Amino acid sequence: MDTEPSRIQSARDRASVAKKVLAAAAATLFATVLVGVRLSHPGDTTAGNSGTSVDQTANDSQAESFDFGQSDIGPSGESGAGATGGTHAS
C-alpha cells in the first residue's frame, strides 16, 4: 500500500492551511485597525481638548438669517396651478 497522500489530497491540505493563515491575518489586521481607530477617534474626550469654547450666538444668528432666495421652479402664484408647459399624460 501507498502511505503517501495523493497529489490532490496534498493540494487540499495546502489550500486548507493557506485559508487558515489568511483568516488569521485578516482577523489580526481587523483588530489592529479597530484598536487604532478607537485610540485616535476625534470624538474622544481625552484627546487634546484644551477647554476652548466657540461663541454659539454668532453661529445661531447666521443660521436664522439664511435665505434660499427666489426659485424659478415650482407653482406659479397662489392658485397652485403649477408651471405652464411640460408634458401631459392622458
Side-chain angles (χ1 to χ4, degrees), residues 68-75:
F68 286 105
Q70 186 67 18
S71 173
D72 294 336
I73 300 174

Side-chain angles (χ1 to χ4, degrees), residues 4-17:
E4 289 186 31
S6 68
R7 289 178 25 201
I8 299 296
Q9 187 60 39
S10 298
R12 287 181 180 155
D13 292 341
R14 287 191 309 268
S16 176
V17 169

Side-chain angles (χ1 to χ4, degrees), residues 21-73:
V21 168
L22 285 173
T28 302
L29 179 64
F30 179 77
T32 303
V33 169
L34 185 67
V35 168
V37 166
R38 178 75 175 155
L39 292 176
S40 66
H41 189 273
D44 192 2
T45 58
T46 60
N49 189 357
S50 62
T52 59
S53 63
V54 178
D55 185 18
Q56 290 296 325
T57 56
N59 291 338
D60 291 343
S61 64
Q62 288 176 355
E64 291 173 6
S65 66
F66 183 77
D67 186 15
F68 286 105
Q70 186 67 18
S71 173
D72 294 336
I73 300 174

